C-alpha cells in the first residue's frame, strides 16, 4: 500500500464559485476518502425570520441564493399560504411556473458553462453564458431583476405579463430551442466532454436513493424523482415528464441538465397556452398559525421550506433544506476511488451552491 | 392548487431507531431532518418520502438528553445531524462522521439553540480580533 497523504481542495479553487473545503485522502493519484467541511458563508438568514414581518421576509428568502432565488421566494410563499389557507389566483400560479422555468434555464446554462470551464473548454463556457444572457433578458424585462426578481408575494405575485409579452416570449422560444440543440449536441458528442465524464463519478441507483440524493444527481442514477410530478402550483395542468438517465456517471448528470432545458421550454409554452385571465394576488389578512413543509423543484433538486408560526407577525421558525446539502453525502461517495484529476469535474456535477446550503 | 395536508407523528426517542429502520425497510428515502424550538425544548422532525409522498415523525429533544444518530441506517443523515448539533447544541450519539461542533463555523456558539443572541458590536478596526 502506498503512503497516504491529504490534499486540501478548496475553499478557494478555480472550479468553485463559492467556498467548500474537502480534505482528499490520497494514495498516489487515487482518492481514498473525501471529508467535506462547510461553514465559510453561514449567514444565519433563517434566524432573521424571528425579527421580520412574515410578508417582508419573502425578500430575504429570495436572497438565500443568487441563482435559484425565484424558487426560494415562491416556495416560502407556498408554505405560508398553506398554513394561512390562502387560495392564490390561478394566474399567479402560472406566472410563478413560467418564472420558475426561466430560473431553471438560466441556472442550467450557468452550470453547463461552469462545467465546460472546469474541463478547460473555454469557448463552450462562453457560448453557454451567451445563450444564458437571452434568458436573463426575459427575466429582466418581465420582473425588473436579472437574478433577484422580487415579484413573489404571500398571496400571489406583484407583476403580470400582458398578452404582448407572452406572445413575445412564445416568438423567442424557437430561437432558444435552436441554441439549446446546438449546445446539447456538443455536450453529447464531443470527445473531450465524453472522455472527462463517461464512467466517472459513479453513483449507483440504490446508493443514490440510500444517500438521499436529489435533483439531476438522483435522476442521473435512474430515479424519476422530481417534485414537479406532484403537481404543485400550476404544474398539475402542465404536461410534465421528468428527465431520467441510467448511466449514473458525470455524463448522465450533465445530460439530465442539458435535456431539462427542452423540458423547461415545453413547460413555458404549455403555461403560455393555458394561462387563465384574472387577478394576480389574493388579499392576505391576519397572521399565520401552524406549520408546513413546502417543497418545490429547484434547478439543483428538491428544496424544502419549513415554516412554523404562532399567530404573530413574525414566524417562529423557517428552515430550508437545500438540494446541495442533500447531495453532499452522494458527493462524498462519488469521490471515493476516483482520480485526483477528476475531482473538480465530479464536484461540479452536483452543481454545488454553498451560499444556498449554508443560508 | 392546494397542497396536501401533512400530519406529523410524535414518537418517543426510544422508538426512533426502530421506526427509522421500518421506513428504511419499506424503501423510503430520507428527505431531511429539521429542528425547531417547541414545548420545553426542541422538536426534531424526520421526513421520508416514497412515490413523492412525504411522511414525518418527530421526537422531543433537550440540550441535556442525547438523541441516537440514524446514520447507521441512513448514512446521509450525518449532514443534518451535524448541522443541528452545531446550530442548536443538541447532542447526537454515534454519528457516522461526527464533526464534533466544526461542521458549520459560527461566531456565536449554538446560535439557534438560545432564545436571544447577544449583539456584538465591534469597531471596524476590531473586526479581525
Amino acid at each position: 500500500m502506498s503512503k497516504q497523504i491529504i490534499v486540501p481542495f478548496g475553499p478557494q479553487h478555480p472550479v468553485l464559485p463559492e467556498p467548500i473545503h474537502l480534505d482528499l485522502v490520497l494514495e498516489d493519484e487515487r482518492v481514498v476518502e473525501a471529508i467535506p467541511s462547510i461553514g465559510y458563508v453561514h449567514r444565519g438568514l433563517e434566524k432573521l425570520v424571528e425579527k421580520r414581518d412574515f410578508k417582508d421576509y419573502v425578500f430575504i428568502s429570495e436572497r438565500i441564493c443568487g441563482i435559484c432565488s425565484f424558487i426560494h421566494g415562491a416556495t416560502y410563499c407556498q408554505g405560508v399560504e398553506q398554513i394561512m389557507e390562502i387560495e392564490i389566483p390561478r394566474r399567479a400560479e402560472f406566472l410563478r411556473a413560467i418564472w420558475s422555468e426561466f430560473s431553471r434555464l438560466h441556472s442550467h446554462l450557468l452550470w453547463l458553462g461552469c462545467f465546460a470551464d472546469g474541463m478547460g473548454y473555454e469557448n463552450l463556457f462562453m457560448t453557454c453564458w451567451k445563450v444564458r444572457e437571452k434568458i436573463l433578458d426575459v427575466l429582466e424585462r418581465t420582473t425588473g431583476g436579472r437574478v433577484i426578481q422580487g415579484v413573489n408575494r404571500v398571496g400571489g405575485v406583484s407583476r403580470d405579463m400582458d398578452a404582448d409579452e407572452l406572445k413575445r416570449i412564445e416568438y423567442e422560444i424557437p430561437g432558444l430551442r435552436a441554441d439549446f440543440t446546438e449546445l446539447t449536441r456538443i455536450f453529447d458528442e464531443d470527445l473531450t466532454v465524453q472522455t472527462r465524464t463517461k464512467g466517472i463519478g459513479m453513483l449507483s441507483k440504490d446508493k443514490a436513493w440510500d444517500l438521499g440524493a436529489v435533483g439531476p444527481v438522483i435522476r442521473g442514477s435512474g430515479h424519476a424523482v422530481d417534485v414537479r410530478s406532484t403537481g404543485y402550483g400550476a404544474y398539475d395542468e402542465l404536461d410534465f415528464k421528468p428527465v431520467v438517465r441510467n448511466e449514473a456517471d458525470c455524463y448522465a448528470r450533465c445530460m439530465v441538465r442539458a435535456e431539462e432545458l427542452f423540458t423547461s421550454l415545453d413547460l413555458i409554452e404549455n403555461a403560455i397556452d393555458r394561462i387563465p385571465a384574472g387577478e394576480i394576488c389574493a388579499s392576505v389578512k391576519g397572521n399565520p398559525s401552524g406549520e408546513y413543509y413546502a417543497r418545490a423543484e429547484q434547478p439543483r433538486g428538491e428544496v424544502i421550506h419549513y415554516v412554523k408560526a404562532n399567530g404573530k407577525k413574525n414566524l417562529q421558525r423557517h428552515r430550508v433544506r437545500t438540494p446541495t446539502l442533500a447531495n453532499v453525502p452522494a458527493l462524498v461517495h462519488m469521490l471515493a476511488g476516483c482520480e485526483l484529476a477528476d475531482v473538480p469535474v465530479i464536484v461540479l456535477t452536483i452543481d454545488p451552491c454553498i451560499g444556498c446550503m449554508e443560508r | 392548487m392546494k397542497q396536501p395536508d401533512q400530519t406529523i407523528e410524535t414518537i418517543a426517542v426510544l422508538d426512533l431507531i426502530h421506526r427509522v429502520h421500518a421506513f428504511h425497510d419499506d424503501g423510503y428515502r430520507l428527505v431531511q431532518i429539521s429542528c425547531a424550538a417547541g414545548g420545553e425544548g426542541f422538536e426534531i422532525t424526520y421526513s421520508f418520502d416514497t412515490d413523492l409522498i412525504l411522511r414525518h415523525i418527530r421526537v422531543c429533544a433537550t440540550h441535556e438528553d442525547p438523541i441516537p444518530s440514524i446514520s447507521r441506517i441512513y448514512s446521509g443523515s450525518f449532514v443534518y445531524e451535524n448541522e443541528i448539533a452545531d446550530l442548536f447544541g443538541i447532542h447526537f450519539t454515534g454519528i457516522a462522521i461526527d464533526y464534533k461542533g466544526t461542521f458549520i463555523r459560527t461566531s456565536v456558539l449554538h446560535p439557534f439553540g438560545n432564545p436571544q443572541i447577544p449583539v456584538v458590536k465591534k469597531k471596524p478596526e476590531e473586526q479581525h480580533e
Side-chain angles (χ1 to χ4, degrees), chain A residues 22-223:
Chain A
L22 293 165
D23 275 324
L24 302 171
V25 182
L26 298 183
E27 268 178 23
D28 296 330
E29 290 285 309
R30 189 164 293 277
V31 177
V32 178
E33 192 184 5
I35 303 161
S37 177
I38 64 169
Y40 296 94
V41 286
H42 183 259
R43 293 160 289 166
L45 288 180
E46 292 169 345
K47 191 76 179 167
L48 263 180
V49 84
E50 296 167 13
K51 306 279 180 199
R52 297 293 178 118
D53 185 297
F54 73 95
K55 290 180 193 164
D56 297 342
Y57 189 80
V58 180
F59 303 106
I60 295 169
S61 67
E62 280 210 359
R63 280 155 178 79
I64 288 171
C65 179
I67 303 168
C68 36
S69 50
F70 181 85
I71 303 180
H72 273 303
T75 317
Y76 167 78
C77 289
Q78 217 173 284
V80 176
E81 286 153 6
Q82 188 69 25
I83 53 179
M84 294 184 80
E85 296 181 352
I86 299 167
E87 187 85 26
I88 80 162
R90 196 67 181 143
R91 187 174 179 84
E93 290 191 317
F94 272 80
L95 289 168
R96 279 186 187 170
I98 293 171
W99 281 316
S100 295
E101 292 311 317
F102 272 113
S103 299
R104 195 177 320 279
L105 288 175
H106 100 71
S107 176
H108 279 359
L109 287 165
L110 181 144
W111 180 84
L112 287 165
C114 289
F115 193 54
D117 187 47
M119 293 183 287
Y121 210 149
E122 292 293 331
N123 64 0
L124 183 56
F125 156 72
M126 287 189 279
T127 311
C128 291
W129 280 42
K130 186 177 145 196
V131 177
R132 177 174 173 258
E133 279 301 311
K134 296 179 185 177
I135 307 296
L136 294 180
D137 285 346
V138 177
L139 284 168
E140 187 173 15
R141 207 169 67 217
T142 54
T143 67
R146 279 162 59 89
V147 286
I148 302 283
Q149 281 76 38
V151 289
N152 277 300
R153 296 289 182 276
V154 175
V157 290
S158 63
R159 283 179 79 150
D160 201 352
M161 290 190 217
D162 61 20
D164 287 343
E165 180 57 52
L166 293 171
K167 268 190 196 150
R168 186 174 170 185
I169 293 172
E170 245 184 336
Y171 176 76
E172 289 170 346
I173 284 178
L176 290 171
R177 195 170 274 125
D179 289 336
F180 296 166
T181 305
E182 180 57 12
L183 281 179
T184 309
R185 189 187 64 76
I186 300 170
F187 280 101
D188 196 19
E189 296 174 6
D190 186 87
L191 185 64
T192 308
V193 178
Q194 296 202 2
T195 313
R196 295 299 309 273
T197 59
K198 283 197 168 175
I200 289 165
M202 297 301 291
L203 180 70
S204 71
K205 190 173 182 178
D206 289 346
K207 208 67 193 170
W209 185 263
D210 221 35
L211 292 170
V214 294
V217 177
I218 196 166
R219 291 196 287 279
S221 292
H223 290 284

Side-chain angles (χ1 to χ4, degrees), chain A residues 251-271:
Chain A
Y251 172 77
R253 296 187 278 280
C254 172
M255 291 314 294
V256 166
R257 291 186 181 96
E259 289 171 25
E260 281 186 352
L261 295 174
F262 298 97
T263 309
S264 289
L265 282 187
D266 293 344
L267 289 170
I268 293 167
E269 275 185 328
N270 268 200

Side-chain angles (χ1 to χ4, degrees), chain A residues 35-40 42 44 46-47 50-51 78 82 87 90 93 207 209-214 218 224-227 229-233 236 291-295 302 304 306 308 316-317 319 321 325-326 328-329 332 357 359, chain B residues 1-6 8 24 27-38 43 45 47 49-54 56 58 73-80 83 87-88 97 99 102-106 111-112 114-117:
Chain A
I35 303 161
S37 177
I38 64 169
Y40 296 94
H42 183 259
E46 292 169 345
K47 191 76 179 167
E50 296 167 13
K51 306 279 180 199
Q78 217 173 284
Q82 188 69 25
E87 187 85 26
R90 196 67 181 143
E93 290 191 317
K207 208 67 193 170
W209 185 263
D210 221 35
L211 292 170
V214 294
I218 196 166
V225 175
D226 192 312
V227 184
S229 304
T230 63
Y232 70 88
D236 59 333
E291 61 182 325
Y292 197 75
Y293 287 87
R295 63 176 175 167
E302 173 192 58
I304 311 258
Y306 169 65
K308 182 180 180 184
Q316 277 181 299
R317 176 85 168 115
R319 199 265 172 171
R321 201 283 273 125
L325 186 66
V328 165
V332 171
M357 175 164 77
R359 297 142 353 253
Chain B
M1 182 199 165
K2 194 177 181 305
Q3 299 298 305
D5 289 333
Q6 293 172 350
I8 300 168
H24 186 262
Y28 280 81
R29 173 174 65 97
L30 174 69
V31 173
Q32 62 100 35
I33 307 174
S34 66
C35 184
E43 293 166 338
T45 309
S47 307
D49 161 295
T50 187
D51 298 328
L52 292 168
I53 296 166
L54 274 182
H56 311 277
R58 176 171 285 171
I73 309 164
Y74 286 101
S75 55
S77 72
F78 79 89
V79 287
Y80 306 116
E83 187 184 58
L87 295 182
F88 288 87
I97 305 174
Y99 285 77
T102 60
F103 188 59
I104 294 185
R105 300 169 181 83
T106 55
F112 288 57
N114 303 310
Q116 282 297 321
I117 300 176

